[in-house]
Amino acid sequence: MRQYIYVSTAPNLSDESLDSILASCARNNAERGVTGLLLYNGRNFLQLLEGAETDLLWVMARISADNRHSGISKLEDSFVTDRACPDWTMRHIKLVENVDQRRQALEAELPAGLSDTMRRIILNFAALN
Ligand SMILES: Cc1cc2nc3c(=O)[nH]c(=O)nc-3n(C[C@H](O)[C@H](O)[C@H](O)COP(=O)(O)O)c2cc1C
């Protein structure tokens, strides 16, 4: 099992676009056995994806070709024995408005099975304004 985490840039993406991305995730990730979580701060995405390597490559190829975002940059790529988000085909965790409260609010939402490295990366992203 593999876990990827990347960030990308998408200034001012509409709620409709985000909904359409999440609909694609629900369709394709369920079929491919890909799970994970997605954060959007109004300018940047952070996405954690987990699954078998061939399935992740398939999903990443589509994501990389998507012109709704750019500048995809992989932050971490690790082998794991268990999924951190087994029940989430792609959970969009909404960031709270107030940046000072984001870290704490997000911490309560993150799954227990995340490695310390992945958790730190995600929490650091949430603190960016
Ligand atoms: C930030 C971001 C994350 C995405 N994550 C996924 C994903 O996890 N799975 C997926 O199938 N498509 C994802 N997409 C959408 C794909 O780029 C692509 O539009 C979609 O897979 C097309 O599939 P469809 O024709 O079934 O809608 C993402 C797009 C963006 C911009």
Side-chain angles (χ1 to χ4, degrees), residues 6-37:
Y6 75 83
V7 288
S8 66
T9 304
N12 302 316
L13 200 82
S14 66
D15 288 348
E16 292 72 30
S17 295
L18 195 50
D19 286 345
S20 132
I21 288 167
L22 292 169
S24 296
C25 290
R27 247 194 319 275
N28 302 320
N29 295 3
E31 201 178 311
R32 292 269 161 176
V34 170
T35 50
L37 60 89

Side-chain angles (χ1 to χ4, degrees), residues 6 8 13 20-21 23-25 27-29 34 38 45 47 49 58-59 62-66 68-69 89-90:
Y6 75 83
S8 66
L13 200 82
S20 132
I21 288 167
S24 296
C25 290
R27 247 194 319 275
N28 302 320
N29 295 3
V34 170
L38 184 70
F45 280 110
Q47 188 172 27
L49 290 153
W58 184 89
V59 171
R62 298 173 83 107
I63 293 173
S64 303
D66 194 325
R68 287 173 291 194
H69 65 166
T89 52
M90 191 50 59

Side-chain angles (χ1 to χ4, degrees), residues 39-51:
L39 307 182
Y40 181 58
N41 67 6
R43 274 193 304 271
N44 299 98
F45 280 110
L46 175 146
Q47 188 172 27
L48 172 86
L49 290 153
E50 52 189 16

